[in-house]
Amino acid sequence: MFELIGIPPQALFGQLMLGLINGAFYALLSLGLAVIFGLLNVINFTHGAQYMMGAFVAWMLLNWVGVPYWGALIIAPVLVGAFGIVLERLFLSRLYHLDHLYGLLLTFGLALILEGLFRSQFGSSGLPYGNPLPGGTNLGFMFLPWYRAWVVGFSLFVCLATWFVIERTKLGSYLRAATERPDLVQAFGVNVPRMITLTYGFGVGLAALAGVLAAPAYQVSPTMGSNLIIIVFAVVVIGGMGSILGSVITGFGLGIVEGLTKVFYPEASATVIFVVMAIVLLVRPAGLFGTAK
Amino acid sequence: MLKTQTPILAESPAAPPKAASTTGRDLMIFGGLLLLLAAAPLVLYPVFLMKVLCFALFALAFNLLIGYVGLLSFGHAMFFGGAAYVSAYTVKAWGWTPELGILAGTACAGVLGAVVGSLAIRRQGIYFAMVTLALAQMFFFFCLQAPFTGGEDGIQGVPRRPILGLIDTTRDINLYFVVLAIFALGFLVIYRTIHSPFGQVLKAIRENEPRAISLGYRTDQYKLLAFVISATLAGLAGATKAVVFQLASLTDVAWQMSGEVVLMTLVGGLGTVFGPIVGAAVIITMQNYLAGFGEWVLVIQGAIFVVVVLLFRRGIVGELAAFLGRRT
C-alpha cells in the first residue's frame, strides 16, 4: 500500500518515530510551561534555556565527573530544578503582583543571559553525547532503535505520572485549589509561596529532564533551547494551557504531524506547526483544549 | 495578592490620559531633537546616526502597540526584516529607485501586518505575545527557504541610486538627511495617531477592554488597525535600513531582532512618547562599543532586561518624567 504512494514504509515509520520523539519533548516542555503558568501566572521564557541546561549538565556530569547517562537522568533535573528555585526566589517572586508580560520579559532576559553564558563557554557548535542504549530491533516494517523507544516510553510515563499527581492526589488537589484561589488556600494554612516555588522548580526540572533525554538524540548545543521554545509556544497556543492531558496529547500529536510532513512535503516541515497554529486560531481561538479567556 | 493583576503598564507614567497642553511641549521637544539631530553629523558618524534613527523608528512603531494598546508583539522583526528584504530586492534585482523600494517594502509590511494582526488579535495578553513570536518564526523559516532572499547570505550590495533622481545617496551625509526626514515623518504619524480620538480609544482598550466593548467600540477593529499602522512603520524602518546598509539578511527577521526592539522600548520607557528614541540610541551605542565581546553582548542584553524589569520598569524617559514630576 505504501509503495503505491511512493513512500517506503521504512522511511515513513522512521520519520513517525522521529516525530514521536520531538512530540515527547514538546509534551514535556509544554506540560512544564502549563504547570508553571497555572500557579505562577508567568510564561517561563527561560524554559528553553533550562532544557538546554539539562542537556549540558548531563554532558558535564559524563565528561567531567564520569556520571553516566542513567545517573544524569536523576541528578541533572534536580540540579537545574534547584537552580530554577533560586531564580524564582531571587527574581520571579518580585513580579507576581504585576502584569504577566513583565514575567515574560524577565524570563526572556534570563534566557538570553543563560544562552550567552553557555555560548561563550562552549561555542555555538554542538557537543556529542554518546548513546547509552545502542542497537535496536527489526520490527519487520521498520528498524526500532532502543534509545528512541526509551525516550518515547519514558516521557509518556513522566507525563502520565505528572497528570496522576496533579489530578488524583491530595497534593495535586492543593495545587489545583491554589491555581483557582491562592488567597483562600493560604487562609486554610497551606504555605502557598513555598508551593509556588516548588512548582516552579518542578516545571524547570521537567524541562531539564527533556534536555537529558535530548542529549543523546541530538547534539548538545547552547542554541538548542531557543529554537525549541518558540515551537513549544506554538504548541501551547494550539493546545491551550488549561488541561494537563491536553498539553500531552497536543505535544505528541504535533510531533507526529511534523514527522508526517517530513515524509510527504519536507519543505514545510519547519513551518507546519505554525501553520496548524494559524488554523487553530481561525477555527478555535481558545485552543483545542482551552477554555475561553 | 498572588493572583491579583494590574493591567499592563498600570504603573507607567503614561497611563492617565494626557492633558492637551502637553502636545505643544512635546512638539517643542521634538523640534529641538530634530535640530540636534541635524547638527549631529558634525560630531558623529552619519552611518551610526542612520542606524540609530532606523531603530528608533522601529522602536516607536513597536511602542505604539505595547504602550498604547497594551499588546506585546514578540514578532515585530518579521515586519522590519520582511520590508528590508522587499526593498533590497526591488532595488537590486529590479533596478527600482530607493524611494520606490522603500515604499514597496513598507506596503508589504502593512499587508503582512494585516494578515498577522487578524490572527494574533484573536488571543490576548500572554498568548498574543506567543502567537506573534511563533508567526514571526514561521516567517523566518520562509525567508530561510525562499529563493529570492539569498538564504544565509542575504541580499548584499544593494546599490545606492539617487533618490527622486536628485539626491546623490552615495554620500552618507545626503542620505542621512533623507533618513532624518523619514524618521520625522514616522514620528509625526505615530504622534498624531496616539493623540487622535482613535488613539484615545486605543488607550481605553489598554486600560479596560470589556468596558470599551460595552461602550460600543468594536475593539478588534481598533486593535487590528493599530497593529497594521505599527507593522507598516516597522516596515518603513526596515526598508530604510536596507537602503542605508545596502543589506537585508536573516538577522533582520530573526527572533533576536524582535527581542532587541522590545529591549530598546523597555529601556527607554514603555508608553512614553520619546522613550523608544532614547532606548534605541542607548542600545545601538552599547552594541557599537561591545561589538568585540561576541557572545557577551547577549549576556549583557539579558542582564539589562532583568535589571530594567526588576528596578526601572518605567524606563529612562519614564523615570526622568517621574523625577521631574510631570508627564512626558
Side-chain angles (χ1 to χ4, degrees):
Chain A
M1 175 200 155
F2 293 111
E3 283 76 3
L4 279 181
I5 42 177
I7 307 288
Q10 287 287 351
L12 178 69
F13 287 107
Q15 288 296 349
L16 265 185
M17 195 68 212
L18 280 179
L20 270 178
I21 289 194
N22 275 334
F25 298 140
Y26 299 158
L28 280 174
L29 288 173
S30 60
L31 183 63
L33 277 182
V35 170
I36 291 173
F37 184 72
L39 209 51
L40 280 79
N41 271 315
V42 164
I43 273 290
N44 186 27
F45 216 126
T46 327
H47 220 62
Q50 282 148 349
Y51 158 86
M52 177 267 290
M53 280 177 75
F56 264 102
V57 170
W59 184 89
M60 290 181 217
L61 282 173
L62 182 71
N63 288 284
W64 295 354
V65 194
V67 177
Y69 174 83
W70 305 104
L73 209 51
I74 296 165
I75 300 173
V78 171
L79 285 180
V80 180
F83 173 71
I85 285 176
V86 173
L87 289 185
E88 195 273 346
R89 281 289 91 201
L90 279 180
F91 303 122
L92 272 174
S93 57
R94 293 162 204 274
L95 296 177
Y96 293 147
H97 62 289
L98 297 170
D99 190 274
H100 304 171
L101 296 180
Y102 285 114
L104 181 76
L105 294 176
L106 178 87
T107 50
F108 179 71
L110 291 173
L112 289 184
I113 296 177
L114 290 173
E115 190 177 323
L117 284 177
F118 275 88
R119 267 210 241 175
S120 67
Q121 214 60 36
F122 295 94
S124 294
S125 55
L127 302 166
Y129 189 97
N131 186 345
L133 273 178
T137 179
N138 199 335
L139 297 178
F141 55 90
M142 68 172 287
F143 181 77
L144 178 69
W146 291 126
Y147 188 72
R148 291 184 184 173
W150 155 253
V151 169
V152 173
F154 183 63
S155 32
L156 204 56
F157 167 76
V158 171
C159 288
L160 292 179
T162 307
W163 170 81
F164 183 82
V165 169
I166 291 178
E167 297 290 336
R168 291 286 183 272
T169 65
K170 195 171 177 192
L171 178 69
S173 66
Y174 285 166
L175 268 176
R176 280 176 289 136
T179 305
E180 297 285 327
R181 286 292 300 273
D183 45 351
L184 263 185
V185 176
Q186 187 144 20
F188 286 144
V190 178
N191 189 342
V192 173
R194 186 194 292 160
M195 204 152 89
I196 289 178
T197 306
L198 291 177
T199 302
Y200 187 74
F202 174 74
V204 171
L206 274 184
L209 181 71
V212 181
L213 287 173
Y218 308 119
Q219 290 207 313
V220 180
S221 114
T223 51
M224 64 194 280
S226 54
N227 291 334
L228 189 63
I229 191 68
I230 301 178
I231 301 178
V232 172
F233 279 173
V235 173
V236 163
V237 172
I238 293 168
M241 284 189 287
S243 140
I244 301 282
L245 273 188
S247 323
V248 178
I249 295 169
T250 316
F252 277 100
L254 285 169
I256 293 174
V257 168
E258 203 182 36
L260 287 177
T261 316
K262 269 193 191 125
V263 178
F264 293 104
Y265 190 51
E267 291 82 1
S269 62
T271 47
V272 63
I273 289 185
F274 304 122
V275 174
V276 173
M277 182 189 81
I279 295 169
V280 168
L281 282 173
L282 283 173
V283 180
R284 210 181 137 80
L288 296 180
F289 297 91
T291 43
K293 166 77 185 109
Chain B
M1 175 236 161
L2 291 158
K3 286 269 277 199
T4 48
Q5 298 142 23
T6 48
I8 177 72
L9 306 174
E11 57 165 10
S12 92
K18 290 185 202 176
S21 63
T22 60
T23 307
R25 201 200 66 230
D26 283 346
L27 290 180
M28 262 169 62
I29 296 177
F30 185 62
L33 184 70
L34 281 185
L35 283 179
L36 212 67
L37 283 168
L42 295 173
V43 279
L44 292 163
Y45 290 114
V47 174
F48 168 77
L49 287 169
M50 285 190 276
K51 188 171 183 188
V52 170
L53 286 180
C54 288
F55 278 95
L57 181 56
F58 185 23
L60 282 166
F62 169 80
N63 186 43
L64 175 64
L65 272 187
I66 177 73
Y68 297 94
V69 204
L71 295 174
L72 172 63
S73 162
F74 234 105
H76 253 47
M78 80 180 122
F79 310 119
F80 183 79
Y85 272 126
V86 170
S87 79
Y89 189 80
T90 51
V91 171
K92 189 180 179 191
W94 293 350
W96 288 17
T97 53
E99 70 273 14
L100 281 180
I102 290 175
L103 279 179
T106 310
C108 287
V111 173
L112 187 63
V115 175
V116 170
S118 61
L119 280 174
I121 58 165
R122 291 166 167 262
R123 299 299 290 269
Q124 271 115 35
I126 213 84
Y127 283 100
F128 181 87
M130 291 196 282
V131 168
T132 45
L133 177 64
L135 290 172
Q137 188 73 355
M138 179 169 149
F139 188 73
F140 173 84
F141 282 118
F142 167 75
C143 291
L144 185 65
Q145 293 174 340
F148 68 89
T149 56
E152 302 276 350
D153 298 333
I155 304 175
Q156 299 179 2
V158 178
R160 279 197 191 169
R161 295 204 179 80
I163 287 184
L164 300 171
L166 291 171
I167 307 166
D168 173 18
T169 55
T170 51
R171 288 191 58 203
D172 283 337
I173 190 71
N174 292 354
L175 189 55
Y176 173 72
F177 283 98
V178 174
V179 174
L180 185 59
I182 291 174
F183 166 78
L185 178 79
F187 178 90
L188 291 175
V189 168
I190 289 170
Y191 194 81
R192 187 71 197 97
T193 305
I194 56 184
H195 289 87
S196 66
F198 172 73
Q200 296 298 333
V201 178
L202 293 184
K203 285 173 221 165
I205 294 172
R206 176 188 70 190
E207 296 302 315
N208 194 336
E209 184 169 357
R211 195 156 171 196
I213 295 173
S214 78
L215 288 171
Y217 290 108
R218 298 193 174 179
T219 56
D220 276 355
Q221 291 179 1
Y222 282 86
K223 287 198 278 188
L224 180 59
L225 186 54
F227 195 93
V228 172
I229 295 174
S230 172
T232 309
L233 289 170
L236 179 63
T240 311
K241 193 233 88 171
V243 167
V244 171
F245 289 93
Q246 304 174 274
L247 171 73
S249 72
L250 285 174
T251 315
D252 301 331
V253 284
W255 61 265
Q256 288 91 339
M257 184 62 83
S258 300
E260 244 167 59
V261 76
V262 178
L263 181 62
M264 287 171 188
T265 315
L266 187 66
V267 166
L270 297 174
T272 59
V273 174
F274 295 104
I277 306 174
V278 176
V282 169
I283 299 295
I284 297 290
T285 311
M286 190 196 83
Q287 284 175 349
N288 245 26
Y289 284 105
L290 296 179
F293 288 87
E295 312 299 352
W296 289 99
V297 176
L298 214 55
V299 179
I300 293 166
Q301 283 188 345
I304 296 176
F305 256 109
V306 171
V307 170
V308 173
V309 169
L310 286 176
L311 301 176
F312 310 102
R313 275 183 289 274
R314 290 185 285 212
I316 296 173
V317 171
E319 295 289 345
L320 201 66
F323 178 72
L324 296 175
R326 58 191 175 130
R327 315 213 174 273
T328 299

